[in-house]
Structures are given as C-alpha cells and as structure tokens.
C-alpha cells in the first residue's frame, strides 16, 4: 500500500504528547464500517483492534446505527444523569431477560461513570464499604484503569509511575502460571493470609481478569479461577472479576468467567456493552452487597441514554440466542489459532508462544522489540494491530466478533507477511 503523507500538523502542535495510538498509525481516519477503516485519502485498513475491544460488533453496525438514529430523530433523551428513562428501562429489562436470567445471575446493576476505570473505582469502593477493610489484592501484569484507585491494582510500572504519588492499599499476587508451574497455586497468597506475622492486612476483595489483555494475553485456567473463588469464600474476601475488555462475548460466552463455572461477587463491564463504541459501563454485584446510600457514588454522565439504545439493540441482535454467537466466536478463534500455529512453525526459532481464547490472541517473540516492528509493518500493509504486555512484547489480535472468515483470513495473511518481513 502506498501511503501519502497525511497532514498531522494540528495533532503534533496542539494535541498533548500523551497521545499514543495515533503514533503507531500515522494517518487521519475518516470513515469506518464493519471491520474496515478508511483514511481521508481513501486507503483501506482491516481492523484487528476493534476500538481496544469496544467494537465487538464492528464499526457503525447497521442494526445498532438504525436504532440510534431512530431514537435521536424522535428527540429521545440524550443526557439524563440517573433519571428513569424509557431507554434505561428497556435496556435493564433486556439485560435481565437475555443475560442475567438465562445464566441464573442475581446481580443488581449500577451505572457508574461511563468508562471502564469508573466501574473499577465503584467496585473497589463498594468492596471496602461492605467489608470495612481497605486492602485489595490484584495480580501480576494486571491492568484495571488509569485513575488512582485502578492504578493501585494495576501492575504495569510505566503506567503506575504516571500517578505521581504512592499507590497504596493494593497488594499484588502471582497470576496463574507466573512461576511456570513450579509453585502450587495460591501457596504464597494463602500462607500470607493465615500467618499472623506476614504483615498482610486482611483484604476486602480480590480483583482479577480472566484473560489479561493489556498484560500480554495471559489466560487463567478455569481450575485456577475456581480455586481463587474458593479461596475468597473461605477467607471472607469478595471476588471482583474485571470483564471490561474480555466480556460481552470476547472469549466466547457473554461473560468470560462462565467457562470456569464461578459467580463473582462483583463484575465490572464496559467497552462493548454499548455495542457501538459509545461510553457506558456497569458495575454488577450480588443484591446483599447493595448497601449504597442514595447519591453516595454518582457522576454527571452515568446515564448515557444513546448507549442504552445501542446496547439494547446489540443484546437483542446477538444475544437473544447467545449460543449461536458463542459458537461463531469460538469457530473464528480456532481459525486464528490455526494461522498462529502456521506462523509459529514457519518461525520456530523466533516465536516464544502464541496464546488466547475466543477472539483475543497474542503472539510473543523471544526478541521483545519484534512485536512493535510487526505492528508497524502490518499498518503499512493495511492491517491495524496493537501490542500488549509490560514491554509491548506481544502482538495482540482483537478483531470484531462479527468479522467474516474471509476478512479474518485476509488479516491473518497480512500478519504472516509482516512477521516474515521483520526478521
């Protein structure tokens, strides 16, 4: 693909140096539909990024777009704080009927601010309020958001350093297979909990991602998650599952913890819950934990009604028969896995590991700088992929769940070429 030099001057001179994704993809995007984006010069890109998991149903999904346009054209409420609206009522009823009841999940639904880190902050605050304790346990290579409470339970040293103050009341523990199978699960964690001389304050809760996305696509085994849930119950700690990136069908089932057969006390959901890329997040928790006082945790933008509309349309379109969506995602995931096996066999000396679940996959190389070179070359070839891991050492694949097998093959072929051309 021949790329002409785009006019990036206003971004470079006026926008903050904090910008990041645009540095890896130096063009000006103008349109998007399904799994494809187009820049202002008409160049086409296949999207294996999906808004960092916010666009599970693709860009400008026509069913969701129609519902949104109809709502706006009739002057439906756009901003309503936490007022009762028809859009919110319809979403809540649909979410209960299509998601919670079929899974026998008893959760109350809280609308915090519209971002993922807002949901995490509300979950941490609620856990501390319920248990009357301040310590939270998280895991190595975790990522839970960029606000201070979320950063305190995030592992990445670079992101933590940006806080500028000590990040306290959080204690990291080893994630699944952190010691390459040499140490029994939770040996260190449980010993600290039971030893009166360990210095570990009794935690209010444990927060975990079933698949660590930003941490390098590290997938926890179902048996590890079950053991963690059992440990939390025995030690009187709440279990919080952060499903912000891996929920809404990304791993196959609607919630990523379903495969493990556990019922977390609290679940955070964001990104693709709106279905359309509109800001929206949920904090779900068991009814007995709902001890909030009215207005005790609030925010101006906790009632994004257009997002309720697209979220409802997404649930009705893709989750009325959730088994069909799950089956399709798993089939697409097998397609990705076969391609990564081929890439690994072709580059046996260079590939360290491929790993993933559903439609989230990572490809790690022994040379930790290789992933960024591959992502850069993929962009030049018309494919949008990002990197993850503490040193950006993993090529991360996060295509839309609605991507076609043909589009998936096309993108995987580009990825294979990018790998070959960056040796």
């Amino acid at each position: 693909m021949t790329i002409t030099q785009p006019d990036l001057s206003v971004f470079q001179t006026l926008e903050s140096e904090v910008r990041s994704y645009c540095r890896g993809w130096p063009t000006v995007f103008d349109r998007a539909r399904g799994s494809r984006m187009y820049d202002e010069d008409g160049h086409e890109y296949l999207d294996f990024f999906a808004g960092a998991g916010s666009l599970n149903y693709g860009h400008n999904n026509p069913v969701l777009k129609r519902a949104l346009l109809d709502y706006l054209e009739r002057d439906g409420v756009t901003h309503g704080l936490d007022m009762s609206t028809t859009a919110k009522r319809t979403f809540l009823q649909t979410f209960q009927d299509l998601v919670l009841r079929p899974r026998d999940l008893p959760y109350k639904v809280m609308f915090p601010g519209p971002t993922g880190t807002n949901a995490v902050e509300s979950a941490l605050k609620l856990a501390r309020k319920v248990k009357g304790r301040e310590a939270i346990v998280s895991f190595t290579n975790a990522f839970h958001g960029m606000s201070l409470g979320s950063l305190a339970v995030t592992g990445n040293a670079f992101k933590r350093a940006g806080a500028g103050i000590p990040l306290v009341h959080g204690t990291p523990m080893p994630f699944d297979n952190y010691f390459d199978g040499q140490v029994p699960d939770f040996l260190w964690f449980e010993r600290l909990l039971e030893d009166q001389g360990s210095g570990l304050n009794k935690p209010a809760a444990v927060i975990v991602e079933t698949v660590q996305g930003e941490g390098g696509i590290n997938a926890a085994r179902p048996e590890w998650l079950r053991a963690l849930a059992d440990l939390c119950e025995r030690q009187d700690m709440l279990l919080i599952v952060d499903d912000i990136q891996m929920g809404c069908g990304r791993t196959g089932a609607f919630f990523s913890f379903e495969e493990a057969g556990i019922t977390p006390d609290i679940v955070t959901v964001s990104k693709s819950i709106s279905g359309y890329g509109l800001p929206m997040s949920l904090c779900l928790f068991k009814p007995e934990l709902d001890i909030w006082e009215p207005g005790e945790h609030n925010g101006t933008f906790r009632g994004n009604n257009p997002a309720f509309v697209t979220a409802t349309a997404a649930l009705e379109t893709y989750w009325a028969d959730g088994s069909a969506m799950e089956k399709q995602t798993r089939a697409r995931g097998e397609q990705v896995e076969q391609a990564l096996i081929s890439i690994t066999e072709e580059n046996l000396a260079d590939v360290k590991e491929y790993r993933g679940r559903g439609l989230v996959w990572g490809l790690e190389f022994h040379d930790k700088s290789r992933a960024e070179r591959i992502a850069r070359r993929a962009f030049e070839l018309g494919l949008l992929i990002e990197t993850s891991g503490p040193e950006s050492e993993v090529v991360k694949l996060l295509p839309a769940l609605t991507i076609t097998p043909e589009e998936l093959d096309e993108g995987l072929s580009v990825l294979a070429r990018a790998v070959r051309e960056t040796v």
Side-chain angles (χ1 to χ4, degrees):
M1 178 185 295
T2 302
I3 305 292
T4 57
Q5 285 299 108
D7 181 7
L8 301 173
S9 58
V10 69
F11 308 107
Q12 294 166 346
T13 60
L14 189 59
E15 191 178 1
S16 166
E17 293 300 316
V18 79
R19 65 193 189 281
S20 60
Y21 291 117
C22 57
R23 297 180 187 273
W25 303 325
T27 191
V28 180
F29 293 103
D30 180 55
R31 296 183 298 112
R33 177 71 179 267
S35 288
R36 298 187 187 273
M37 298 188 72
Y38 304 85
D39 68 18
E40 61 183 348
D41 293 320
H43 297 121
E44 180 182 286
Y45 300 84
L46 188 56
D47 186 4
F48 270 30
F49 176 62
S54 295
L55 296 164
N56 281 3
Y57 315 111
H59 294 270
N60 285 303
N61 183 292
V63 177
L64 279 56
K65 179 167 65 175
R66 185 70 264 161
L68 177 60
L69 290 175
D70 289 346
Y71 182 76
L72 294 176
E73 285 173 352
R74 71 169 186 81
D75 292 332
V77 173
T78 296
H79 182 270
L81 295 108
D82 70 349
M83 299 174 191
S84 298
T85 64
T86 54
K88 183 197 284 190
R89 180 173 59 197
T90 303
F91 168 74
L92 283 169
Q93 291 174 337
T94 304
F95 188 68
Q96 183 179 53
D97 293 343
L98 299 184
V99 176
L100 297 181
R101 279 181 178 157
R103 293 161 181 80
D104 198 25
L105 295 172
Y107 297 134
K108 297 289 288 291
V109 180
M110 175 182 177
F111 299 106
T115 70
T117 197
N118 294 147
V120 170
E121 294 285 358
S122 66
L124 300 180
K125 185 190 287 189
L126 179 60
R128 288 171 170 138
K129 180 177 173 66
V130 168
K131 291 300 182 184
R133 309 178 208 131
E134 60 188 42
I136 303 289
V137 165
S138 56
F139 291 94
T140 49
N141 292 313
F143 178 81
H144 296 290
M146 300 295 281
S147 50
L148 293 181
S150 300
L151 273 179
V153 290
T154 286
N156 187 284
F158 172 72
K159 292 180 172 63
R160 288 176 64 89
I165 62 171
L167 296 170
V168 295
H169 313 304
T171 303
M173 289 291 166
F175 191 70
D176 190 14
N177 203 38
Y178 188 71
F179 294 110
D180 298 321
Q182 299 178 32
V183 177
D185 295 339
F186 308 115
L187 175 66
W188 171 244
F189 189 4
E190 193 151 20
R191 183 71 59 84
L192 289 178
L193 288 168
E194 295 177 348
D195 184 356
Q196 296 302 305
S198 70
L200 176 66
N201 292 328
K202 181 79 170 181
V206 175
I207 185 168
V208 67
E209 303 155 273
T210 64
V211 181
Q212 294 181 326
E214 299 305 308
I217 318 302
N218 307 308
R221 293 166 297 146
E223 55 267 32
W224 186 87
L225 292 168
R226 287 193 289 271
L228 176 60
D230 179 64
L231 177 63
C232 287
E233 185 174 2
R234 285 188 285 108
Q235 295 288 345
D236 188 33
M237 302 178 297
L238 298 179
L239 176 60
I240 305 170
V241 168
D242 181 344
D243 230 10
I244 287 167
Q245 189 168 89
M246 297 304 156
C248 302
R250 175 56 57 182
T251 65
F254 187 87
F255 294 110
S256 68
F257 56 80
E258 291 182 49
E259 181 182 353
I262 61 174
T263 303
D265 299 293
I266 303 175
V267 182
T268 58
V269 182
S270 187
K271 290 194 182 282
S272 275
I273 186 61
S274 81
Y276 202 73
L278 299 177
M280 177 179 175
S281 71
L282 312 177
C283 185
L284 312 175
F285 39 82
K286 292 179 177 178
E288 61 269 25
L289 305 181
D290 193 9
I291 63 171
W292 291 114
E293 296 290 335
E296 189 175 7
H297 186 91
N298 58 22
T300 304
F301 294 100
R302 65 194 185 278
N304 190 347
N305 283 264
F308 293 150
V309 171
T310 55
T312 299
L315 294 177
E316 291 174 341
T317 303
Y318 297 102
W319 295 100
D321 179 7
S323 61
M325 192 71 208
E326 182 175 349
K327 182 178 179 181
Q328 175 178 299
T329 297
R330 294 191 187 283
R332 301 284 193 274
E334 291 172 4
Q335 189 177 344
V336 174
E337 184 175 18
Q338 290 304 311
L340 295 184
I341 290 172
S342 297
I343 291 173
T344 300
E345 291 174 346
E346 186 178 338
N347 301 268
L348 201 55
D350 300 318
V351 176
K352 181 178 180 180
E353 186 182 17
Y354 66 88
R355 52 187 180 263
R357 183 178 297 162
L359 270 176
V360 53
W361 289 85
L363 185 63
E364 184 176 1
F365 294 82
H366 293 289
D367 177 1
K368 293 188 176 183
S369 66
R370 184 99 180 265
E372 290 191 331
R373 297 200 302 273
I374 290 170
R376 188 162 50 247
R377 181 57 181 147
F379 170 75
E380 294 170 353
L381 296 170
L383 177 68
L384 303 180
I385 53 174
E386 67 165 337
T387 61
S388 71
E391 299 177 68
S392 299
E393 73 276 20
V394 178
V395 175
K396 181 180 180 182
L397 309 181
L398 207 68
L401 307 186
T402 53
I403 194 168
T404 67
E406 294 75 22
E407 289 171 327
L408 204 49
D409 273 341
E410 178 186 341
L412 292 167
S413 295
V414 173
L415 173 63
R417 179 180 169 185
V419 172
R420 284 193 295 271
E421 295 181 359
T422 53
V423 175

